[in-house]
Amino acid sequence: MPTVEVTSNPLTPSTRLRTAMRLTRWMAAHGSKAAHVVVSFRTAEPMAYFAGGMPLTTYEQGNDQAQEASWAHVVCHIHPDRDHAYRDELALEIAEALKVDLADAHLMVRFEPTRPDRVFYLHEGSITSGGPATAGRDREEGPEYARP
């Protein structure tokens, strides 16, 4: 299950929905099952996110919700077989989906390759994973749900 975890300034519900749909469609077009893509959003508390020692969240930050991210920290859990070109394209897609101005905004996208056997999910009433890793192999294929 590929996941995208976005921490940013407050975003409107419609902006979160638009972003989640765009990223889900992009991942589906690149081999993931749309139903298995998880996108989550977190709003950073005031004085909780710093870049270069300077706060990107301030005491004055209210509950005003923006149509776009003025800054974002994104963590993506993806299949370890995804190559650099995939990661590069996905990072750009995330920037465009969040409408982060690449010229002067702060954006960090970090990729965490995650083997399917390290992901557990509910399937037909049971908790399951992609299966145990086989000795001598990097990963186990596992059920369809855990594949990229």
Side-chain angles (χ1 to χ4, degrees), residues 23 26-27 74 76 78 84-98 100 102 107-111:
L23 295 176
W26 187 93
M27 289 183 161
V74 182
C76 301
I78 58 172
H84 182 74
Y86 176 91
R87 293 188 305 270
D88 188 50
E89 291 174 26
L90 180 53
L92 183 57
E93 187 67 18
I94 289 168
E96 291 175 359
L98 289 170
V100 175
L102 297 177
L107 174 65
M108 177 186 289
V109 179
R110 186 176 79 229
F111 291 98

Side-chain angles (χ1 to χ4, degrees), residues 4-64:
V4 179
E5 301 166 358
V6 178
T7 301
S8 70
N9 55 290
L11 301 173
T12 63
S14 62
T15 298
R16 293 190 301 265
L17 176 61
R18 175 186 43 79
T19 301
M21 292 301 297
R22 180 171 173 166
L23 295 176
T24 298
R25 288 182 182 130
W26 187 93
M27 289 183 161
H30 289 81
S32 295
K33 290 191 174 272
H36 302 154
V37 176
V38 176
V39 181
S40 63
F41 297 87
R42 293 183 183 93
T43 300
E45 295 179 27
M47 300 302 286
Y49 192 88
F50 296 77
M54 299 302 296
L56 294 179
T57 55
T58 64
Y59 283 120
E60 293 81 35
Q61 179 181 353
N63 291 330
D64 299 333

Side-chain angles (χ1 to χ4, degrees), residues 109-130:
V109 179
R110 186 176 79 229
F111 291 98
E112 295 288 336
T114 306
R115 294 187 342 232
D117 66 313
R118 302 274 173 118
V119 178
F120 289 79
Y121 52 90
L122 185 63
H123 177 66
E124 298 177 357
S126 297
I127 296 293
T128 188
S129 75

